[in-house]
Amino acid sequence: MDLNLFNRPEENRLLEAAWTALASVYAPYSGIRVGAAVLTGSGQIYTGCNIENSSYSLTICAERCSIYHALAHGEKSFTVMVVVTDSEQVTSPCGACRQVLAEFAPQMPVLFVNPKGVSRFTVEQLLPHLFLLD
Ligand code: THU
């Protein structure tokens, strides 16, 4: 895969980090591999990957894994996330991930890359009329 898809250097750095995170995927049940990388307001990159479980619903997606990784390091603001998969079947973040991303970064752009191409939406665009408590 071309890892220089974007015009912005930081987005290409995220794509490379997300691609590297594919090496850590644990997906013996679906065989689907997803990597994610999020850039924080402090300039750090945190990666995540999907990690499945024999109790299927305990699976965590790459997107939530990466933002929880960042949150666990005390990060509070998020600038942009890049998600990559080598599966043509996966084209956009799942509903659970949209809700979690909305909690922390409703304005954040999410760049989703699969072998067919790239999509770019903010979390608010992915989850309109989102549910949040004050
Ligand atoms: N998955 C992700 O990691 N991110 C997505 O955006 C969609 C789906 C994972 C979860 C599971 O391990 C596999 O893909 C199939 O659903």
Side-chain angles (χ1 to χ4, degrees), residues 49-53 56-62 64-65 68:
C49 60
N50 56 322
I51 302 169
E52 298 186 345
N53 193 275
Y56 298 158
S57 65
L58 298 182
T59 292
I60 187 164
C61 297
R64 273 176 291 149
C65 186
Y68 288 154

Side-chain angles (χ1 to χ4, degrees), residues 27 30 32 34 50-52 59-63 83 90 92-94 112:
S30 75
I32 287 174
V34 188
N50 56 322
I51 302 169
E52 298 186 345
T59 292
I60 187 164
C61 297
E63 296 90 326
V83 185
V90 186
S92 168
C94 80
F112 203 98

Side-chain angles (χ1 to χ4, degrees), residues 6-16 39 45 79-80 82 120:
F6 303 114
N7 295 325
R8 298 190 180 108
E10 72 274 17
E11 293 176 357
N12 286 323
R13 283 201 295 130
L14 286 167
L15 177 55
E16 190 176 352
L39 180 65
I45 290 176
T79 307
V80 55
V82 172
R120 180 189 200 109

Side-chain angles (χ1 to χ4, degrees), residues 27-107:
Y29 306 107
S30 75
I32 287 174
R33 298 164 5 106
V34 188
V38 65
L39 180 65
T40 67
S42 68
Q44 296 293 310
I45 290 176
Y46 292 87
T47 58
C49 60
N50 56 322
I51 302 169
E52 298 186 345
N53 193 275
S54 52
S55 180
Y56 298 158
S57 65
L58 298 182
T59 292
I60 187 164
C61 297
E63 296 90 326
R64 273 176 291 149
C65 186
S66 67
I67 202 157
Y68 288 154
H69 183 190
L71 288 161
H73 281 81
E75 299 290 351
K76 302 272 186 260
S77 73
F78 302 95
T79 307
V80 55
M81 177 179 285
V82 172
V83 185
V84 66
T85 176
D86 48 17
S87 166
E88 290 190 1
Q89 291 178 75
V90 186
T91 54
S92 168
C94 80
C97 288
R98 292 173 196 212
Q99 181 67 35
V100 169
L101 298 180
E103 180 86 17
F104 300 104
Q107 322 279 321

Side-chain angles (χ1 to χ4, degrees), residues 124 127-132:
E124 265 176 340
L127 188 66
H129 314 291
L130 51 88
F131 166 70
L132 291 175

